[in-house]
Amino acid sequence: MHNVVSVDGFIADENDDVGPLHDWYFNGDTPITGGSDQQYDHSGAGSAFKVSKGSAQYVRSMWESIGTIVMGRHLFDLVNGWEGHPPTGDHVVVVSHRPKPEGWHPEASYHFVDDVTAAIDKAQEFAGGRAISVNAGEVGGQILAAGLVDEVAMDVVPVVFGSGKRYFGSIDGQHLLEDPHVVIQGEGVLHLRFRLRR
């Protein structure tokens, strides 16, 4: 499970605006990827990602490990599925009770399922031994609650939203994490990774 998040645990405000949460993607001088890999810029800012050196090494290694992204329909609709070009990985599984929009990028490896367990099963089928990245939010919280998340990764940005869309959605109950096994200070972001305590 992975997302950029405010210090108080929000991935966007009530109107799905991420505000300054993605500023760190553009405040450095080191590209995350090189060559044609950055053809598609899903930031909406029209410029390639350039971050601090520490962030670049961390994000690059994480993105290279991902085979499949699992996301909810709400995020899919917000970003129009990144126009069929996910920021990383080769496949995307969308948790939705509605089918893929008719005629939407038929060439894209996007798969729509209506259950979080089925989503993880499908993601594992396509990941080919690589990592599965679960986007945070309502669907991510449901996948965590179902015991299907091994690790929580947070890119914490120094801002307090006060309210908005929560990293773990509306999850109920406690879920214990190990001490962070990754702590990397970037510019305008702190990268943290926690394994789930079993």
Side-chain angles (χ1 to χ4, degrees), residues 58-107:
Y58 170 75
V59 173
R60 190 178 298 130
S61 67
M62 177 182 269
W63 283 13
E64 287 172 354
S65 74
I66 294 169
T68 305
I69 292 174
V70 177
M71 67 191 306
R73 182 60 180 258
H74 185 69
L75 179 59
F76 174 87
D77 288 343
L78 280 174
V79 299
N80 196 27
W82 304 295
E83 299 298 341
H85 301 278
T88 186
D90 300 317
H91 308 276
V92 175
V93 177
V94 181
V95 180
S96 176
H97 295 296
R98 293 177 285 137
K100 183 191 297 189
E102 191 172 332
W104 183 87
H105 295 285
E107 77 289 354

mmCIF file of all heavy atoms in Angstrom, residues 58-107:
data_model
loop_
_atom_site.group_PDB
_atom_site.id
_atom_site.type_symbol
_atom_site.label_atom_id
_atom_site.label_comp_id
_atom_site.label_asym_id
_atom_site.label_seq_id
_atom_site.Cartn_x
_atom_site.Cartn_y
_atom_site.Cartn_z
ATOM 1 N N TYR A 58 15.239 6.391 -4.062
ATOM 2 C CA TYR A 58 14.173 5.638 -3.395
ATOM 3 C C TYR A 58 13.013 5.359 -4.348
ATOM 4 O O TYR A 58 12.572 4.224 -4.502
ATOM 5 C CB TYR A 58 13.687 6.415 -2.170
ATOM 6 C CG TYR A 58 12.432 5.837 -1.559
ATOM 7 C CD1 TYR A 58 12.486 4.672 -0.810
ATOM 8 C CD2 TYR A 58 11.201 6.449 -1.751
ATOM 9 C CE1 TYR A 58 11.332 4.120 -0.252
ATOM 10 C CE2 TYR A 58 10.046 5.914 -1.202
ATOM 11 C CZ TYR A 58 10.122 4.751 -0.460
ATOM 12 O OH TYR A 58 8.978 4.209 0.073
ATOM 13 N N VAL A 59 12.495 6.416 -4.993
ATOM 14 C CA VAL A 59 11.337 6.266 -5.870
ATOM 15 C C VAL A 59 11.688 5.390 -7.065
ATOM 16 O O VAL A 59 10.905 4.525 -7.466
ATOM 17 C CB VAL A 59 10.799 7.649 -6.315
ATOM 18 C CG1 VAL A 59 9.705 7.497 -7.357
ATOM 19 C CG2 VAL A 59 10.291 8.432 -5.121
ATOM 20 N N ARG A 60 12.852 5.587 -7.644
ATOM 21 C CA ARG A 60 13.267 4.788 -8.807
ATOM 22 C C ARG A 60 13.259 3.298 -8.472
ATOM 23 O O ARG A 60 12.687 2.491 -9.211
ATOM 24 C CB ARG A 60 14.658 5.230 -9.258
ATOM 25 C CG ARG A 60 15.090 4.637 -10.582
ATOM 26 C CD ARG A 60 16.471 5.158 -10.987
ATOM 27 N NE ARG A 60 16.456 6.605 -11.167
ATOM 28 C CZ ARG A 60 17.341 7.446 -10.601
ATOM 29 N NH1 ARG A 60 18.292 6.976 -9.815
ATOM 30 N NH2 ARG A 60 17.256 8.731 -10.835
ATOM 31 N N SER A 61 13.857 2.926 -7.336
ATOM 32 C CA SER A 61 13.919 1.499 -6.984
ATOM 33 C C SER A 61 12.524 0.949 -6.688
ATOM 34 O O SER A 61 12.204 -0.183 -7.050
ATOM 35 C CB SER A 61 14.861 1.264 -5.806
ATOM 36 O OG SER A 61 14.343 1.846 -4.628
ATOM 37 N N MET A 62 11.671 1.762 -6.061
ATOM 38 C CA MET A 62 10.307 1.307 -5.775
ATOM 39 C C MET A 62 9.533 1.117 -7.077
ATOM 40 O O MET A 62 8.892 0.085 -7.294
ATOM 41 C CB MET A 62 9.584 2.290 -4.860
ATOM 42 C CG MET A 62 8.128 1.902 -4.599
ATOM 43 S SD MET A 62 7.245 3.077 -3.577
ATOM 44 C CE MET A 62 7.577 2.381 -1.976
ATOM 45 N N TRP A 63 9.571 2.122 -7.950
ATOM 46 C CA TRP A 63 8.816 2.041 -9.199
ATOM 47 C C TRP A 63 9.284 0.872 -10.057
ATOM 48 O O TRP A 63 8.479 0.206 -10.694
ATOM 49 C CB TRP A 63 8.920 3.355 -9.965
ATOM 50 C CG TRP A 63 8.053 4.449 -9.413
ATOM 51 C CD1 TRP A 63 7.401 4.471 -8.213
ATOM 52 C CD2 TRP A 63 7.754 5.687 -10.039
ATOM 53 N NE1 TRP A 63 6.733 5.651 -8.057
ATOM 54 C CE2 TRP A 63 6.924 6.422 -9.158
ATOM 55 C CE3 TRP A 63 8.118 6.266 -11.248
ATOM 56 C CZ2 TRP A 63 6.443 7.683 -9.472
ATOM 57 C CZ3 TRP A 63 7.641 7.528 -11.556
ATOM 58 C CH2 TRP A 63 6.808 8.224 -10.676
ATOM 59 N N GLU A 64 10.587 0.620 -10.084
ATOM 60 C CA GLU A 64 11.118 -0.483 -10.899
ATOM 61 C C GLU A 64 10.659 -1.842 -10.384
ATOM 62 O O GLU A 64 10.595 -2.800 -11.148
ATOM 63 C CB GLU A 64 12.646 -0.428 -10.945
ATOM 64 C CG GLU A 64 13.176 0.708 -11.814
ATOM 65 C CD GLU A 64 14.681 0.883 -11.711
ATOM 66 O OE1 GLU A 64 15.330 0.189 -10.877
ATOM 67 O OE2 GLU A 64 15.222 1.719 -12.463
ATOM 68 N N SER A 65 10.313 -1.929 -9.102
ATOM 69 C CA SER A 65 9.905 -3.209 -8.521
ATOM 70 C C SER A 65 8.439 -3.542 -8.784
ATOM 71 O O SER A 65 8.015 -4.679 -8.611
ATOM 72 C CB SER A 65 10.159 -3.201 -7.005
ATOM 73 O OG SER A 65 9.196 -2.380 -6.339
ATOM 74 N N ILE A 66 7.653 -2.563 -9.224
ATOM 75 C CA ILE A 66 6.204 -2.739 -9.338
ATOM 76 C C ILE A 66 5.813 -3.353 -10.676
ATOM 77 O O ILE A 66 6.224 -2.873 -11.738
ATOM 78 C CB ILE A 66 5.485 -1.383 -9.138
ATOM 79 C CG1 ILE A 66 5.699 -0.899 -7.703
ATOM 80 C CG2 ILE A 66 3.996 -1.490 -9.457
ATOM 81 C CD1 ILE A 66 5.268 0.525 -7.455
ATOM 82 N N GLY A 67 4.998 -4.404 -10.604
ATOM 83 C CA GLY A 67 4.457 -5.023 -11.802
ATOM 84 C C GLY A 67 3.023 -4.618 -12.071
ATOM 85 O O GLY A 67 2.600 -4.482 -13.214
ATOM 86 N N THR A 68 2.246 -4.424 -10.994
ATOM 87 C CA THR A 68 0.814 -4.138 -11.119
ATOM 88 C C THR A 68 0.392 -3.108 -10.079
ATOM 89 O O THR A 68 0.838 -3.158 -8.934
ATOM 90 C CB THR A 68 -0.021 -5.425 -10.917
ATOM 91 O OG1 THR A 68 0.430 -6.419 -11.827
ATOM 92 C CG2 THR A 68 -1.496 -5.179 -11.147
ATOM 93 N N ILE A 69 -0.467 -2.192 -10.483
ATOM 94 C CA ILE A 69 -1.080 -1.223 -9.571
ATOM 95 C C ILE A 69 -2.533 -1.631 -9.346
ATOM 96 O O ILE A 69 -3.232 -2.006 -10.288
ATOM 97 C CB ILE A 69 -1.039 0.207 -10.160
ATOM 98 C CG1 ILE A 69 0.402 0.714 -10.233
ATOM 99 C CG2 ILE A 69 -1.912 1.157 -9.342
ATOM 100 C CD1 ILE A 69 0.540 2.051 -10.946
ATOM 101 N N VAL A 70 -2.990 -1.557 -8.089
ATOM 102 C CA VAL A 70 -4.400 -1.754 -7.763
ATOM 103 C C VAL A 70 -4.952 -0.410 -7.302
ATOM 104 O O VAL A 70 -4.378 0.231 -6.413
ATOM 105 C CB VAL A 70 -4.590 -2.821 -6.659
ATOM 106 C CG1 VAL A 70 -6.068 -2.945 -6.291
ATOM 107 C CG2 VAL A 70 -4.036 -4.171 -7.107
ATOM 108 N N MET A 71 -6.039 0.016 -7.910
ATOM 109 C CA MET A 71 -6.628 1.312 -7.579
ATOM 110 C C MET A 71 -8.145 1.193 -7.517
ATOM 111 O O MET A 71 -8.726 0.240 -8.045
ATOM 112 C CB MET A 71 -6.225 2.363 -8.628
ATOM 113 C CG MET A 71 -6.818 2.115 -10.004
ATOM 114 S SD MET A 71 -6.139 3.135 -11.354
ATOM 115 C CE MET A 71 -6.323 4.791 -10.767
ATOM 116 N N GLY A 72 -8.772 2.164 -6.890
ATOM 117 C CA GLY A 72 -10.228 2.221 -6.845
ATOM 118 C C GLY A 72 -10.781 2.956 -8.050
ATOM 119 O O GLY A 72 -10.068 3.678 -8.753
ATOM 120 N N ARG A 73 -12.083 2.809 -8.273
ATOM 121 C CA ARG A 73 -12.722 3.456 -9.412
ATOM 122 C C ARG A 73 -12.721 4.976 -9.282
ATOM 123 O O ARG A 73 -12.628 5.704 -10.279
ATOM 124 C CB ARG A 73 -14.159 2.938 -9.567
ATOM 125 C CG ARG A 73 -14.913 3.505 -10.768
ATOM 126 C CD ARG A 73 -14.175 3.147 -12.066
ATOM 127 N NE ARG A 73 -14.843 3.655 -13.245
ATOM 128 C CZ ARG A 73 -15.581 2.905 -14.053
ATOM 129 N NH1 ARG A 73 -15.779 1.619 -13.797
ATOM 130 N NH2 ARG A 73 -16.130 3.432 -15.132
ATOM 131 N N HIS A 74 -12.810 5.472 -8.047
ATOM 132 C CA HIS A 74 -12.827 6.922 -7.849
ATOM 133 C C HIS A 74 -11.543 7.550 -8.387
ATOM 134 O O HIS A 74 -11.599 8.526 -9.145
ATOM 135 C CB HIS A 74 -13.025 7.248 -6.368
ATOM 136 C CG HIS A 74 -13.170 8.712 -6.092
ATOM 137 N ND1 HIS A 74 -14.270 9.438 -6.493
ATOM 138 C CD2 HIS A 74 -12.339 9.591 -5.482
ATOM 139 C CE1 HIS A 74 -14.123 10.700 -6.123
ATOM 140 N NE2 HIS A 74 -12.961 10.824 -5.513
ATOM 141 N N LEU A 75 -10.389 6.992 -8.024
ATOM 142 C CA LEU A 75 -9.117 7.524 -8.526
ATOM 143 C C LEU A 75 -9.018 7.323 -10.036
ATOM 144 O O LEU A 75 -8.566 8.218 -10.759
ATOM 145 C CB LEU A 75 -7.923 6.869 -7.821
ATOM 146 C CG LEU A 75 -6.543 7.329 -8.293
ATOM 147 C CD1 LEU A 75 -6.355 8.838 -8.118
ATOM 148 C CD2 LEU A 75 -5.441 6.569 -7.561
ATOM 149 N N PHE A 76 -9.442 6.162 -10.516
ATOM 150 C CA PHE A 76 -9.434 5.922 -11.964
ATOM 151 C C PHE A 76 -10.182 7.036 -12.691
ATOM 152 O O PHE A 76 -9.690 7.593 -13.677
ATOM 153 C CB PHE A 76 -10.056 4.561 -12.284
ATOM 154 C CG PHE A 76 -10.215 4.322 -13.762
ATOM 155 C CD1 PHE A 76 -9.177 3.777 -14.505
ATOM 156 C CD2 PHE A 76 -11.403 4.655 -14.407
ATOM 157 C CE1 PHE A 76 -9.317 3.584 -15.883
ATOM 158 C CE2 PHE A 76 -11.552 4.460 -15.773
ATOM 159 C CZ PHE A 76 -10.502 3.922 -16.516
ATOM 160 N N ASP A 77 -11.382 7.364 -12.197
ATOM 161 C CA ASP A 77 -12.181 8.406 -12.842
ATOM 162 C C ASP A 77 -11.515 9.776 -12.728
ATOM 163 O O ASP A 77 -11.543 10.562 -13.681
ATOM 164 C CB ASP A 77 -13.587 8.462 -12.234
ATOM 165 C CG ASP A 77 -14.450 7.264 -12.641
ATOM 166 O OD1 ASP A 77 -14.103 6.571 -13.632
ATOM 167 O OD2 ASP A 77 -15.467 7.017 -11.957
ATOM 168 N N LEU A 78 -10.909 10.067 -11.578
ATOM 169 C CA LEU A 78 -10.266 11.370 -11.381
ATOM 170 C C LEU A 78 -9.136 11.616 -12.371
ATOM 171 O O LEU A 78 -8.977 12.724 -12.882
ATOM 172 C CB LEU A 78 -9.702 11.487 -9.960
ATOM 173 C CG LEU A 78 -10.664 11.825 -8.849
ATOM 174 C CD1 LEU A 78 -9.966 11.743 -7.504
ATOM 175 C CD2 LEU A 78 -11.254 13.219 -9.049
ATOM 176 N N VAL A 79 -8.326 10.574 -12.616
ATOM 177 C CA VAL A 79 -7.144 10.742 -13.481
ATOM 178 C C VAL A 79 -7.360 10.119 -14.860
ATOM 179 O O VAL A 79 -6.434 10.042 -15.663
ATOM 180 C CB VAL A 79 -5.877 10.160 -12.819
ATOM 181 C CG1 VAL A 79 -5.577 10.860 -11.507
ATOM 182 C CG2 VAL A 79 -5.980 8.647 -12.619
ATOM 183 N N ASN A 80 -8.598 9.688 -15.128
ATOM 184 C CA ASN A 80 -8.939 8.972 -16.364
ATOM 185 C C ASN A 80 -7.934 7.850 -16.640
ATOM 186 O O ASN A 80 -7.467 7.657 -17.759
ATOM 187 C CB ASN A 80 -9.037 9.916 -17.566
ATOM 188 C CG ASN A 80 -9.753 9.254 -18.733
ATOM 189 O OD1 ASN A 80 -10.576 8.367 -18.558
ATOM 190 N ND2 ASN A 80 -9.412 9.677 -19.935
ATOM 191 N N GLY A 81 -7.608 7.106 -15.557
ATOM 192 C CA GLY A 81 -6.713 5.956 -15.695
ATOM 193 C C GLY A 81 -5.358 6.317 -16.263
ATOM 194 O O GLY A 81 -4.711 5.486 -16.903
ATOM 195 N N TRP A 82 -4.920 7.558 -16.027
ATOM 196 C CA TRP A 82 -3.643 8.045 -16.584
ATOM 197 C C TRP A 82 -3.612 7.812 -18.092
ATOM 198 O O TRP A 82 -2.563 7.534 -18.676
ATOM 199 C CB TRP A 82 -2.435 7.405 -15.904
ATOM 200 C CG TRP A 82 -2.378 7.580 -14.422
ATOM 201 C CD1 TRP A 82 -2.233 8.761 -13.738
ATOM 202 C CD2 TRP A 82 -2.447 6.551 -13.413
ATOM 203 N NE1 TRP A 82 -2.220 8.531 -12.386
ATOM 204 C CE2 TRP A 82 -2.348 7.177 -12.154
ATOM 205 C CE3 TRP A 82 -2.581 5.170 -13.473
ATOM 206 C CZ2 TRP A 82 -2.383 6.462 -10.964
ATOM 207 C CZ3 TRP A 82 -2.619 4.466 -12.299
ATOM 208 C CH2 TRP A 82 -2.522 5.109 -11.059
ATOM 209 N N GLU A 83 -4.788 7.919 -18.729
ATOM 210 C CA GLU A 83 -4.919 7.754 -20.189
ATOM 211 C C GLU A 83 -4.333 6.442 -20.691
ATOM 212 O O GLU A 83 -3.815 6.350 -21.808
ATOM 213 C CB GLU A 83 -4.279 8.940 -20.923
ATOM 214 C CG GLU A 83 -4.908 10.275 -20.615
ATOM 215 C CD GLU A 83 -6.371 10.379 -21.021
ATOM 216 O OE1 GLU A 83 -6.833 9.579 -21.858
ATOM 217 O OE2 GLU A 83 -7.065 11.246 -20.469
ATOM 218 N N GLY A 84 -4.404 5.400 -19.836
ATOM 219 C CA GLY A 84 -3.924 4.087 -20.243
ATOM 220 C C GLY A 84 -2.438 3.876 -20.060
ATOM 221 O O GLY A 84 -1.901 2.836 -20.442
ATOM 222 N N HIS A 85 -1.751 4.872 -19.459
ATOM 223 C CA HIS A 85 -0.305 4.795 -19.235
ATOM 224 C C HIS A 85 -0.013 4.950 -17.741
ATOM 225 O O HIS A 85 0.223 6.066 -17.276
ATOM 226 C CB HIS A 85 0.424 5.896 -20.009
ATOM 227 C CG HIS A 85 0.205 5.838 -21.480
ATOM 228 N ND1 HIS A 85 0.907 5.007 -22.306
ATOM 229 C CD2 HIS A 85 -0.669 6.511 -22.274
ATOM 230 C CE1 HIS A 85 0.499 5.163 -23.551
ATOM 231 N NE2 HIS A 85 -0.470 6.067 -23.554
ATOM 232 N N PRO A 86 -0.017 3.856 -16.968
ATOM 233 C CA PRO A 86 0.253 3.990 -15.531
ATOM 234 C C PRO A 86 1.650 4.538 -15.290
ATOM 235 O O PRO A 86 2.551 4.336 -16.115
ATOM 236 C CB PRO A 86 0.119 2.556 -15.011
ATOM 237 C CG PRO A 86 0.307 1.679 -16.199
ATOM 238 C CD PRO A 86 -0.191 2.454 -17.376
ATOM 239 N N PRO A 87 1.848 5.267 -14.184
ATOM 240 C CA PRO A 87 3.164 5.850 -13.908
ATOM 241 C C PRO A 87 4.243 4.803 -13.724
ATOM 242 O O PRO A 87 5.427 5.089 -13.899
ATOM 243 C CB PRO A 87 2.939 6.669 -12.635
ATOM 244 C CG PRO A 87 1.694 6.109 -12.026
ATOM 245 C CD PRO A 87 0.863 5.599 -13.148
ATOM 246 N N THR A 88 3.860 3.598 -13.372
ATOM 247 C CA THR A 88 4.806 2.500 -13.219
ATOM 248 C C THR A 88 4.053 1.180 -13.348
ATOM 249 O O THR A 88 2.835 1.143 -13.234
ATOM 250 C CB THR A 88 5.531 2.580 -11.857
ATOM 251 O OG1 THR A 88 6.534 1.574 -11.805
ATOM 252 C CG2 THR A 88 4.564 2.404 -10.702
ATOM 253 N N GLY A 89 4.784 0.125 -13.592
ATOM 254 C CA GLY A 89 4.154 -1.184 -13.745
ATOM 255 C C GLY A 89 3.585 -1.383 -15.137
ATOM 256 O O GLY A 89 3.495 -0.447 -15.942
ATOM 257 N N ASP A 90 3.203 -2.619 -15.413
ATOM 258 C CA ASP A 90 2.699 -2.973 -16.735
ATOM 259 C C ASP A 90 1.190 -3.179 -16.767
ATOM 260 O O ASP A 90 0.598 -3.216 -17.845
ATOM 261 C CB ASP A 90 3.378 -4.272 -17.209
ATOM 262 C CG ASP A 90 4.889 -4.124 -17.300
ATOM 263 O OD1 ASP A 90 5.343 -3.072 -17.809
ATOM 264 O OD2 ASP A 90 5.604 -5.033 -16.850
ATOM 265 N N HIS A 91 0.584 -3.352 -15.601
ATOM 266 C CA HIS A 91 -0.842 -3.669 -15.534
ATOM 267 C C HIS A 91 -1.497 -2.857 -14.416
ATOM 268 O O HIS A 91 -0.838 -2.498 -13.440
ATOM 269 C CB HIS A 91 -1.059 -5.156 -15.252
ATOM 270 C CG HIS A 91 -0.316 -6.052 -16.193
ATOM 271 N ND1 HIS A 91 -0.809 -6.407 -17.419
ATOM 272 C CD2 HIS A 91 0.894 -6.647 -16.077
ATOM 273 C CE1 HIS A 91 0.063 -7.191 -18.033
ATOM 274 N NE2 HIS A 91 1.102 -7.357 -17.241
ATOM 275 N N VAL A 92 -2.801 -2.625 -14.561
ATOM 276 C CA VAL A 92 -3.585 -1.947 -13.529
ATOM 277 C C VAL A 92 -4.863 -2.752 -13.304
ATOM 278 O O VAL A 92 -5.518 -3.160 -14.265
ATOM 279 C CB VAL A 92 -3.941 -0.498 -13.933
ATOM 280 C CG1 VAL A 92 -4.868 0.145 -12.905
ATOM 281 C CG2 VAL A 92 -2.671 0.338 -14.098
ATOM 282 N N VAL A 93 -5.183 -2.972 -12.025
ATOM 283 C CA VAL A 93 -6.438 -3.611 -11.652
ATOM 284 C C VAL A 93 -7.281 -2.551 -10.944
ATOM 285 O O VAL A 93 -6.828 -1.932 -9.978
ATOM 286 C CB VAL A 93 -6.214 -4.832 -10.741
ATOM 287 C CG1 VAL A 93 -7.546 -5.427 -10.313
ATOM 288 C CG2 VAL A 93 -5.356 -5.883 -11.448
ATOM 289 N N VAL A 94 -8.487 -2.331 -11.438
ATOM 290 C CA VAL A 94 -9.385 -1.317 -10.896
ATOM 291 C C VAL A 94 -10.524 -2.019 -10.162
ATOM 292 O O VAL A 94 -11.203 -2.865 -10.740
ATOM 293 C CB VAL A 94 -9.961 -0.419 -12.016
ATOM 294 C CG1 VAL A 94 -10.877 0.655 -11.427
ATOM 295 C CG2 VAL A 94 -8.830 0.207 -12.831
ATOM 296 N N VAL A 95 -10.703 -1.668 -8.882
ATOM 297 C CA VAL A 95 -11.809 -2.219 -8.103
ATOM 298 C C VAL A 95 -13.029 -1.339 -8.355
ATOM 299 O O VAL A 95 -13.033 -0.152 -8.024
ATOM 300 C CB VAL A 95 -11.472 -2.271 -6.599
ATOM 301 C CG1 VAL A 95 -12.646 -2.846 -5.816
ATOM 302 C CG2 VAL A 95 -10.210 -3.087 -6.357
ATOM 303 N N SER A 96 -14.058 -1.947 -8.982
ATOM 304 C CA SER A 96 -15.226 -1.168 -9.382
ATOM 305 C C SER A 96 -16.414 -2.093 -9.611
ATOM 306 O O SER A 96 -16.256 -3.213 -10.090
ATOM 307 C CB SER A 96 -14.926 -0.407 -10.680
ATOM 308 O OG SER A 96 -16.069 0.275 -11.138
ATOM 309 N N HIS A 97 -17.593 -1.597 -9.295
ATOM 310 C CA HIS A 97 -18.816 -2.329 -9.616
ATOM 311 C C HIS A 97 -19.297 -1.980 -11.023
ATOM 312 O O HIS A 97 -20.269 -2.542 -11.501
ATOM 313 C CB HIS A 97 -19.911 -2.032 -8.593
ATOM 314 C CG HIS A 97 -19.576 -2.526 -7.225
ATOM 315 N ND1 HIS A 97 -19.419 -3.864 -6.938
ATOM 316 C CD2 HIS A 97 -19.343 -1.868 -6.061
ATOM 317 C CE1 HIS A 97 -19.108 -4.017 -5.671
ATOM 318 N NE2 HIS A 97 -19.054 -2.817 -5.111
ATOM 319 N N ARG A 98 -18.604 -1.038 -11.669
ATOM 320 C CA ARG A 98 -18.931 -0.663 -13.046
ATOM 321 C C ARG A 98 -17.837 -1.185 -13.976
ATOM 322 O O ARG A 98 -16.671 -1.235 -13.595
ATOM 323 C CB ARG A 98 -19.035 0.861 -13.175
ATOM 324 C CG ARG A 98 -20.214 1.451 -12.416
ATOM 325 C CD ARG A 98 -20.242 2.971 -12.522
ATOM 326 N NE ARG A 98 -19.212 3.555 -11.653
ATOM 327 C CZ ARG A 98 -18.416 4.563 -12.004
ATOM 328 N NH1 ARG A 98 -18.501 5.108 -13.204
ATOM 329 N NH2 ARG A 98 -17.541 5.035 -11.153
ATOM 330 N N PRO A 99 -18.181 -1.548 -15.201
ATOM 331 C CA PRO A 99 -17.170 -2.050 -16.131
ATOM 332 C C PRO A 99 -16.265 -0.931 -16.656
ATOM 333 O O PRO A 99 -16.536 0.255 -16.438
ATOM 334 C CB PRO A 99 -18.004 -2.645 -17.270
ATOM 335 C CG PRO A 99 -19.277 -1.861 -17.246
ATOM 336 C CD PRO A 99 -19.527 -1.541 -15.793
ATOM 337 N N LYS A 100 -15.231 -1.329 -17.344
ATOM 338 C CA LYS A 100 -14.362 -0.363 -18.022
ATOM 339 C C LYS A 100 -15.222 0.477 -18.966
ATOM 340 O O LYS A 100 -16.113 -0.059 -19.633
ATOM 341 C CB LYS A 100 -13.288 -1.111 -18.810
ATOM 342 C CG LYS A 100 -12.275 -0.198 -19.496
ATOM 343 C CD LYS A 100 -11.382 -0.930 -20.484
ATOM 344 C CE LYS A 100 -10.514 -1.968 -19.830
ATOM 345 N NZ LYS A 100 -9.498 -2.513 -20.779
ATOM 346 N N PRO A 101 -14.972 1.776 -19.031
ATOM 347 C CA PRO A 101 -15.755 2.607 -19.964
ATOM 348 C C PRO A 101 -15.644 2.070 -21.391
ATOM 349 O O PRO A 101 -14.555 1.697 -21.835
ATOM 350 C CB PRO A 101 -15.104 3.994 -19.837
ATOM 351 C CG PRO A 101 -14.436 3.989 -18.498
ATOM 352 C CD PRO A 101 -13.996 2.573 -18.265
ATOM 353 N N GLU A 102 -16.749 2.040 -22.073
ATOM 354 C CA GLU A 102 -16.776 1.491 -23.426
ATOM 355 C C GLU A 102 -15.841 2.267 -24.346
ATOM 356 O O GLU A 102 -15.862 3.502 -24.395
ATOM 357 C CB GLU A 102 -18.202 1.541 -23.978
ATOM 358 C CG GLU A 102 -18.366 0.766 -25.255
ATOM 359 C CD GLU A 102 -19.815 0.653 -25.690
ATOM 360 O OE1 GLU A 102 -20.705 0.686 -24.802
ATOM 361 O OE2 GLU A 102 -20.039 0.534 -26.895
ATOM 362 N N GLY A 103 -14.967 1.526 -25.044
ATOM 363 C CA GLY A 103 -14.026 2.139 -25.988
ATOM 364 C C GLY A 103 -12.819 2.801 -25.355
ATOM 365 O O GLY A 103 -11.983 3.360 -26.059
ATOM 366 N N TRP A 104 -12.698 2.733 -24.020
ATOM 367 C CA TRP A 104 -11.590 3.417 -23.329
ATOM 368 C C TRP A 104 -10.289 2.649 -23.544
ATOM 369 O O TRP A 104 -10.135 1.540 -23.095
ATOM 370 C CB TRP A 104 -11.886 3.537 -21.831
ATOM 371 C CG TRP A 104 -10.836 4.287 -21.062
ATOM 372 C CD1 TRP A 104 -10.763 5.624 -20.867
ATOM 373 C CD2 TRP A 104 -9.691 3.725 -20.406
ATOM 374 N NE1 TRP A 104 -9.654 5.939 -20.139
ATOM 375 C CE2 TRP A 104 -8.973 4.791 -19.840
ATOM 376 C CE3 TRP A 104 -9.192 2.433 -20.264
ATOM 377 C CZ2 TRP A 104 -7.792 4.614 -19.125
ATOM 378 C CZ3 TRP A 104 -8.015 2.250 -19.563
ATOM 379 C CH2 TRP A 104 -7.330 3.331 -19.001
ATOM 380 N N HIS A 105 -9.333 3.237 -24.250
ATOM 381 C CA HIS A 105 -7.983 2.701 -24.448
ATOM 382 C C HIS A 105 -7.972 1.168 -24.483
ATOM 383 O O HIS A 105 -7.474 0.520 -23.563
ATOM 384 C CB HIS A 105 -7.038 3.218 -23.365
ATOM 385 C CG HIS A 105 -6.822 4.696 -23.418
ATOM 386 N ND1 HIS A 105 -6.030 5.290 -24.369
ATOM 387 C CD2 HIS A 105 -7.322 5.701 -22.659
ATOM 388 C CE1 HIS A 105 -6.034 6.611 -24.192
ATOM 389 N NE2 HIS A 105 -6.819 6.882 -23.168
ATOM 390 N N PRO A 106 -8.494 0.564 -25.539
ATOM 391 C CA PRO A 106 -8.552 -0.904 -25.604
ATOM 392 C C PRO A 106 -7.181 -1.567 -25.566
ATOM 393 O O PRO A 106 -7.068 -2.736 -25.200
ATOM 394 C CB PRO A 106 -9.260 -1.178 -26.942
ATOM 395 C CG PRO A 106 -9.108 0.080 -27.737
ATOM 396 C CD PRO A 106 -9.033 1.200 -26.748
ATOM 397 N N GLU A 107 -6.141 -0.816 -25.896
ATOM 398 C CA GLU A 107 -4.782 -1.378 -25.889
ATOM 399 C C GLU A 107 -4.186 -1.467 -24.480
ATOM 400 O O GLU A 107 -3.198 -2.165 -24.254
ATOM 401 C CB GLU A 107 -3.855 -0.513 -26.773
ATOM 402 C CG GLU A 107 -3.386 0.805 -26.137
ATOM 403 C CD GLU A 107 -4.445 1.909 -25.985
ATOM 404 O OE1 GLU A 107 -5.581 1.761 -26.469
ATOM 405 O OE2 GLU A 107 -4.118 2.934 -25.353
#
